[in-house]
Amino acid sequence: MNPIFKDIEHEQFYEGNLRMTHSQHDPFRQTFFYILGLTSQTRQHIRDLYDYEEQAIRLEGLEQGWQTSTSLKITRLAFNLYNGYTGDAETGRDQPRNYSPYHLFDTGLMPYFFEAIKLRYSEYARSMELPYFAFPTTETEHYASYEQEA
């Protein structure tokens, strides 16, 4: 799948991180870096969000002072699609409700969020490309069969 990129910086960030982490065939990291590449803030602070040595997300990145409402949505979706993280109500780190579509998709970046979901679940997204119903090519073809019955 060839995702749609927001701009050249987004694409360069994505491609560079996939090469650096050898993740060209890893849908978890493809999705992670795709989402975090959407804004300059998340690109600049990638080391607050991802530990390259441990190859793991950094949950403390959610609490950084540079985070905005939009960058938090980006980070939450990236974490969720990476390993299913939905906050930790017991420790108070983040509330699970913040990971619901109601809270996440309230942004102009939503089309890119859908691209990320298609990257993560590519085996299911491919089935959407197949035509399941053969609709008539013109309106008159549809009604022709009814006229013959009368």
Side-chain angles (χ1 to χ4, degrees), residues 27 64 121-122 126 148:
Q64 297 296 311
Y121 298 103
S122 62
R126 270 181 264 184
Q148 292 173 356

Side-chain angles (χ1 to χ4, degrees), residues 8-93:
I8 191 70
E9 292 84 6
H10 180 206
E11 185 173 10
Q12 289 173 344
F13 177 86
Y14 172 78
E15 295 292 340
N17 276 285
L18 291 185
R19 277 192 303 277
M20 186 167 55
T21 59
H22 308 287
S23 303
Q24 291 86 346
H25 303 290
D26 178 352
F28 299 95
R29 285 186 182 80
Q30 287 175 343
T31 304
F32 185 78
F33 292 122
Y34 178 86
I35 295 171
L36 292 177
L38 284 170
T39 66
S40 61
Q41 279 183 310
T42 49
R43 288 191 299 265
Q44 290 170 4
H45 295 280
I46 186 63
R47 293 194 183 279
D48 291 339
L49 303 171
Y50 187 75
D51 185 329
Y52 287 93
E53 289 180 22
E54 298 291 322
Q55 295 188 4
I57 60 174
R58 300 182 63 148
L59 296 176
E60 54 275 6
L62 289 163
E63 300 163 349
Q64 297 296 311
W66 57 266
Q67 289 275 20
T68 65
S69 62
T70 299
S71 67
L72 275 171
K73 290 174 186 182
I74 290 169
T75 304
R76 286 177 177 136
L77 183 60
F79 285 7
N80 180 264
L81 291 173
Y82 183 76
N83 69 0
Y85 184 75
T86 57
D88 190 351
E90 290 180 18
T91 63
R93 176 164 280 201

Side-chain angles (χ1 to χ4, degrees), residues 82-139:
Y82 183 76
N83 69 0
Y85 184 75
T86 57
D88 190 351
E90 290 180 18
T91 63
R93 176 164 280 201
D94 204 359
Q95 297 299 313
R97 73 173 178 269
N98 293 330
Y99 292 80
S100 73
Y102 180 82
H103 290 282
L104 288 179
F105 295 147
D106 173 8
T107 175
L109 297 172
M110 188 174 65
Y112 302 105
F113 287 5
F114 287 139
E115 284 293 304
I117 291 167
K118 289 188 322 189
L119 270 173
R120 171 61 183 84
Y121 298 103
S122 62
E123 66 273 19
Y124 303 110
R126 270 181 264 184
S127 66
M128 294 181 69
E129 297 170 1
L130 302 174
Y132 287 100
F133 301 106
F135 291 105
T137 55
T138 65
E139 237 181 88

